[in-house]
Amino acid sequence: MGHFYRNLLSAALVAFNAVRVQAGSSPSNHPVYLGSEGASDATAGFEVVGSSLVSAQQLFLGTTDKVYIVDKTENNPTPIHGHPAWAAEFSISRNSARPMDIITNSFCAGGNVLGNGTWVNIGGNQAVTYGGATAMSQDGGQPYNDPDGGKSFLDPCDDNSCDWILAGAMTTRRWYPSVETLEDGSLIIIGGCQWGGFVDDAAQSNPTYEFLPSRGQPVTSPILTNTLPLNLYPLIFLLPSGRLLVQANWQTALLDHHQGVEYRIDDIPDAVRTYPASAGVVILPLTPANNWTATIMFCGGTNIGSNEWVTNWNIAQHEASSSCVQITPDVSSSYTHVDPLPEGRTMGNLILLPTGQVLCLNGAGTGVAGYGNDSWAIGQSYADHPILQPVVYNLSAPAGSQWSRDGLSASTVPRMYHSTASLLPDGSVLVAGSNPNSDYIDSGIPYPTEYRVEKFYPAYFEQRRPSPAGIPNNLRYGGPVFNLSLSAGDLFEDAENVKRSKVVVMRTGFSTHTMNMGQRLAELEISYTANADGSGILHCSNLPPNPAIFPPGPAFLFVVVNGVPSVGNLVMVGSGEINQQDVLPPAPLPAPLIAEGSVFPSAGEDRRKTNFACPVKTEISWPSVLTWTFGTGFWLFLF
């Protein structure tokens, strides 16, 4: 399928997700999806789809149609309220952006989402002038009127009416903090420094953590105290035990944030993973098969000693690490090695797909994150040799073949320092950013400020997509079973595929500096019924009765049939409030049932290319497209 048809299909998927009307039935809380042929020879790849207006230093998916982008304070050409824009809202369906006013300098801030659905941008840099020079006043003033970074809130919307709200200063300055959502929907904010620089130093380090809403004064963290100069953007993950894994420099610890106690565990092997070594990090899918046990994977980074993080040598040509290691902290304090990346990579994003696979993209083969006016820098970039080819990690593949590039094509856009990526509801991945420069610069250097937005289309994007009925608006912790209905077409005319189905809940995270803070996937426990007419029912438990497995707040629910995901539906996990979440014993699931006379194709029949919900052909009736687009009909007819 050509890029034009991909775009048309993607827009149709998003629009139908908003309309939520199924053909031949009354309005419901699930969408109708279009299908297409061509699965067997599909190529997964990139397409430039629009402009972000500002460079995407930070990025997150806020609604089914809106992605929010935050830049550092710099001289972007797009204006807003008398100064350059440093934030934007990108419409997925229209592939266009509008400027937003984030007011403060959010350079190297952190972020995540509260349990009530409000997104928070926390910390950031001091007020600056051109080229990132310190401003005369930290309370605002010419030329940018960009007060020192603090806390900014955003409640996402689809009507172009929302904007960032400045919510005041932090209790202490935090440049390069990390943020994680906790089991009650509050946030823990950890680490950072006072004034910034390539790496941290004792004179300005902020080795503490605090909470939002506040629980009092910041608490000192031993691991952050002892991991200079690489304790910025510490890697933190909420574990099902309620503790947090904290990794910085070579050290690792478990934090009991309720008691304020840390426990040292094994050092990470092979390479530094935290900023500016900037490995890819991800918490792997939590599933019934692994009893929702958290395993965290670290891939890439840089094998540089703690005393070598200085700028008097050509760090831009130092080879990145290819090492991948995993740890399951609630089970073992030790790391294990898994298949390495095909090549060394720094600043590579690890993005969870609804299938449970992990997509690795962006980054460079040499150097580290950061920039400066050093003689050896590439322009100002501290990294070189961008890696344009993505690679996919398959958890179930045998050792030696876990990473694959089969069917994947390369990007044409280098994504270096300040690049971001996020899964979208239609299952594609939005990729943006790259600006290893002190200010906006669009030409004359190897790696200029990048506004081009790409979408990466996994191979399943070419498939006819399941259209489940009965998706709830809320998910709780434990409690009753709910049912999702799948038509014979959703099961690809093979009732056996009801056995090969799964239901996953995903949070796509707050993407910045190679991390997607808060990104996670939890698979629900299910049973099934295969009906005689070839349709099926998935009987689904709610989330396990433990909010630490998947913290409360907005998320997306996908139904995956034989490796092909539906479009994600936005759901609220938990109470929608910041409080101790109610948990209930999970109701028992009915036993699996295959009805007598269920439809099964012959062994050699292609099970994915028949009976599409809405066939796509290669010619388009533009009146039909326009009719649907402007709201006089709910179906997009392509013929």
Side-chain angles (χ1 to χ4, degrees):
M1 185 192 298
H3 289 321
F4 173 80
Y5 298 107
R6 274 181 173 161
N7 279 344
L8 199 57
L9 175 59
S10 180
L13 292 174
V14 172
F16 276 121
N17 199 37
V19 173
R20 297 176 181 268
V21 175
Q22 184 177 22
S25 70
S26 58
S28 65
N29 64 346
H30 65 278
V32 168
Y33 312 126
L34 300 179
S36 66
E37 301 186 9
S40 62
D41 58 359
T43 298
F46 296 83
E47 179 187 14
V48 175
V49 296
S51 170
S52 57
L53 299 184
V54 302
S55 190
Q57 177 198 198
Q58 301 158 20
L59 179 152
F60 63 89
L61 174 64
T63 75
T64 55
D65 186 51
K66 296 299 192 295
V67 171
Y68 293 91
I69 296 169
V70 178
D71 196 358
K72 69 181 188 289
T73 295
E74 55 189 350
N75 196 25
N76 292 311
T78 300
I80 187 170
H81 298 163
H83 62 78
W86 308 311
E89 177 189 78
F90 188 86
S91 169
I92 303 165
S93 60
R94 299 181 184 218
N95 289 326
S96 63
R98 72 172 177 96
M100 302 179 75
D101 194 1
I102 199 165
I103 305 171
T104 65
N105 187 1
S106 294
F107 182 25
C108 298
N112 215 316
V113 65
L114 289 160
N116 63 1
T118 296
W119 287 83
V120 184
N121 181 287
I122 294 174
N125 191 14
Q126 58 190 309
V128 298
T129 67
Y130 301 114
T134 302
M136 293 294 293
S137 170
Q138 292 300 299
D139 297 320
Q142 295 300 317
Y144 290 143
N145 193 29
D146 59 327
D148 192 0
K151 300 190 294 287
S152 296
F153 293 172
L154 177 72
D155 289 314
C157 65
D158 273 325
D159 62 2
N160 300 327
S161 67
C162 49
D163 214 331
W164 289 95
I165 297 173
L166 185 61
M170 301 286 294
T171 58
T172 181
R173 298 194 77 260
R174 295 191 186 273
W175 196 5
Y176 304 93
S178 294
V179 186
E180 178 74 320
T181 307
L182 300 175
E183 58 267 48
D184 64 351
S186 65
L187 301 178
I188 184 170
I189 308 156
I190 183 168
C193 63
Q194 291 284 326
W195 309 109
F198 176 45
V199 292
D200 203 2
D201 61 80
Q204 64 161 338
S205 185
N206 189 349
T208 68
Y209 59 88
E210 59 185 296
F211 302 91
L212 183 71
S214 176
R215 301 182 192 175
Q217 291 300 304
V219 180
T220 299
S221 164
I223 185 175
L224 297 188
T225 301
N226 298 323
T227 49
L228 287 169
L230 302 178
N231 65 356
L232 301 178
Y233 276 141
L235 304 173
I236 62 170
F237 297 89
L238 178 67
L239 304 171
S241 63
R243 298 178 296 182
L244 291 143
L245 179 78
V246 183
Q247 203 285 311
N249 206 339
W250 296 94
Q251 293 186 19
T252 318
L254 295 178
L255 169 62
D256 182 339
H257 66 90
H258 299 288
Q259 301 297 323
V261 178
E262 286 182 13
Y263 307 91
R264 277 287 304 277
I265 58 176
D266 289 0
D267 287 354
I268 199 165
D270 302 336
V272 176
R273 315 291 179 161
T274 42
Y275 171 87
S278 299
V281 292
V282 67
I283 183 169
L284 296 175
L286 299 108
T287 70
N290 61 31
N291 196 30
W292 297 283
T293 303
T295 295
I296 295 91
M297 181 167 73
F298 306 76
C299 287
T302 305
N303 187 359
I304 296 178
S306 296
N307 61 346
E308 297 178 283
W309 289 92
V310 291
T311 58
N312 60 3
W313 62 286
N314 191 353
I315 199 169
Q317 300 307 321
H318 184 82
E319 291 188 3
S321 173
S322 63
S323 164
C324 285
V325 296
Q326 297 180 358
I327 189 168
T328 307
D330 286 337
V331 176
S332 171
S333 62
S334 298
Y335 288 89
T336 59
H337 286 84
V338 292
D339 285 2
L341 292 165
E343 63 277 303
R345 190 183 298 236
T346 178
M347 297 181 285
N349 287 87
L350 297 183
I351 303 297
L352 287 166
L353 301 178
T355 57
Q357 298 168 306
V358 181
L359 173 68
C360 177
L361 74 176
N362 295 347
T366 63
V368 297
Y371 59 77
N373 292 313
D374 302 87
S375 61
W376 48 263
I378 312 303
Q380 292 185 331
S381 173
Y382 282 3
D384 198 9
H385 303 100
I387 300 176
L388 303 177
Q389 185 78 29
V391 62
V392 170
Y393 180 77
N394 295 287
L395 287 73
S396 58
S401 59
Q402 292 171 324
W403 290 101
S404 173
R405 283 191 164 129
D406 291 347
L408 302 182
S409 61
S411 172
T412 59
V413 183
R415 301 289 183 183
M416 310 286 281
Y417 186 42
H418 290 158
S419 297
T420 46
S422 176
L423 181 74
L424 298 180
D426 65 5
S428 63
V429 176
L430 194 80
V431 188
S434 189
N435 187 23
N437 304 291
S438 60
D439 208 329
Y440 163 75
I441 182 169
D442 64 352
S443 62
I445 56 173
Y447 307 121
T449 304
E450 187 60 69
Y451 292 156
R452 285 176 290 178
V453 176
E454 292 176 287
K455 288 181 183 176
F456 173 83
Y457 302 99
Y460 56 66
F461 205 85
E462 305 284 357
Q463 309 271 12
R464 186 254 194 242
R465 310 292 284 280
S467 178
I471 293 175
N473 294 320
N474 294 84
L475 291 177
R476 300 291 180 166
Y477 300 105
V481 172
F482 63 92
N483 294 325
L484 301 179
S485 298
L486 296 168
S487 69
D490 293 332
L491 296 173
F492 305 112
E493 306 305 324
D494 181 355
E496 282 279 345
N497 278 331
V498 75
K499 300 179 182 179
R500 305 184 190 98
S501 301
K502 58 184 179 181
V503 180
V504 300
V505 184
M506 300 187 66
R507 185 162 294 143
T508 56
F510 182 101
S511 181
T512 189
H513 289 76
T514 315
M515 305 168 289
N516 282 60
M517 298 180 189
Q519 178 185 219
R520 65 176 62 203
L521 182 158
E523 182 180 336
L524 303 184
E525 192 167 15
I526 65 171
S527 180
Y528 55 82
T529 295
N531 298 319
D533 63 358
S535 65
I537 300 173
L538 300 179
H539 312 291
C540 308
S541 293
N542 271 274
L543 284 159
N546 176 5
I549 290 173
F550 198 102
F556 288 84
L557 186 146
F558 293 84
V559 176
V560 183
V561 178
N562 201 19
V564 180
S566 68
V567 171
N569 279 66
L570 186 61
V571 298
M572 177 60 76
V573 172
S575 66
E577 299 177 356
I578 304 168
N579 56 21
Q580 182 175 338
Q581 301 294 300
D582 292 332
V583 297
L584 296 170
L589 288 166
L593 175 64
I594 303 293
E596 185 176 350
S598 294
V599 177
F600 301 100
S602 61
E605 184 179 337
D606 187 333
R607 299 175 178 181
R608 293 190 176 182
K609 295 186 179 181
T610 57
N611 294 323
F612 299 106
C614 183
V616 174
K617 300 183 180 179
T618 57
E619 296 180 0
I620 297 177
S621 169
W622 289 109
S624 297
V625 173
L626 295 174
T627 296
W628 172 80
T629 302
F630 290 102
T632 59
F634 291 116
W635 281 91
L636 173 62
F637 292 99
L638 305 178
F639 51 88

